[in-house]
Amino acid sequence: PPGQLQITGWTHPQSRDSDLRVRLTGVDLVPLQPYFLGPRDAQLAAGRFDLTMQSRITGQKLRAPGQLALIGLRFAPGEAFLQTFIGVPRDAILKFLETNGRLEVQFVVEGPLDSPQFRLQEAMTRRIAVELAEKLGVPIREIGKELIEMGVKGAEAVKKEGEAFGKALREVFK
């Protein structure tokens, strides 16, 4: 069956302020791969996701905490020891899924919508990659290069992602 989308809340067209709750369930990940995979990421053969997110925009500033669940991931054949999935080693994800079946991560995407440096897709993918690495116990150093390729251009940009993330990523540059 196809995925489902529910959106509830409000939006004000003139100010562009909004408060929306978004819920996606059972969405096929395979056709969405070009939007979130990097050049070294393993291709998916199968997988779905569920997503809940509370998106608030006030004064052109977004704050969107949410939860993502990855379900039934199967990777296409490839060189497993070199491949990642959104910057996280593929083998770490597979090992976790063998015993747990689904992988859930919490995330918060924040940023100024009126800034040309803020790109929602990159910010969300980065936050999910970091949360995924932390949940799986993968040192942030191992995904640092992937995060840099996904748009993090140095310590100053990292600070905007939050103090905890910034501190962890600065370890990459030591």
Side-chain angles (χ1 to χ4, degrees):
Q4 295 184 343
L5 167 66
Q6 291 180 326
I7 301 175
T8 57
W10 60 268
T11 184
H12 191 275
Q14 290 173 324
S15 69
R16 297 186 185 161
D17 288 352
S18 64
D19 188 349
L20 301 172
R21 180 163 174 79
V22 178
R23 184 170 186 223
L24 292 161
T25 54
V27 177
D28 187 358
L29 276 167
V30 175
L32 300 175
Q33 292 181 92
Y35 300 102
F36 64 86
L37 291 184
R40 291 196 202 130
D41 281 336
Q43 295 292 307
L44 290 173
R48 299 182 326 278
F49 77 91
D50 294 343
L51 174 91
T52 58
M53 187 167 51
Q54 182 72 41
S55 168
R56 289 192 178 101
I57 299 173
T58 305
Q60 294 295 329
K61 291 189 175 41
L62 168 71
R63 177 165 168 71
Q67 179 175 331
L68 174 74
L70 301 173
I71 308 150
L73 290 186
R74 282 190 299 118
F75 292 100
E79 298 177 34
F81 69 97
L82 296 176
Q83 290 186 328
T84 61
F85 180 72
I86 61 172
V88 178
R90 175 183 126 156
D91 289 345
I93 293 171
L94 288 174
K95 186 177 282 188
F96 183 88
L97 290 172
E98 282 176 10
T99 56
N100 298 288
R102 67 188 272 142
L103 181 54
E104 295 182 7
V105 293
Q106 306 284 328
F107 64 90
V108 178
V109 178
E110 295 180 285
L113 297 179
D114 55 356
S115 168
Q117 285 78 29
F118 180 73
R119 291 182 178 84
L120 181 60
Q121 177 184 338
E122 287 178 12
M124 189 166 178
T125 302
R126 266 196 317 270
R127 282 304 320 150
I128 290 170
V130 169
E131 291 298 320
L132 193 57
E134 288 176 0
K135 181 159 189 108
L136 298 174
V138 175
I140 195 77
R141 284 179 218 107
E142 289 185 29
I143 66 166
K145 187 174 181 185
E146 292 292 326
L147 291 174
I148 290 166
E149 289 174 4
M150 292 167 62
V152 177
K153 300 293 185 209
E156 290 304 311
V158 171
K159 286 180 186 176
K160 294 178 184 176
E161 294 294 328
E163 282 302 308
F165 177 58
K167 183 179 175 186
L169 194 55
R170 280 191 296 274
E171 293 292 318
V172 171
F173 298 107
K174 282 189 174 182

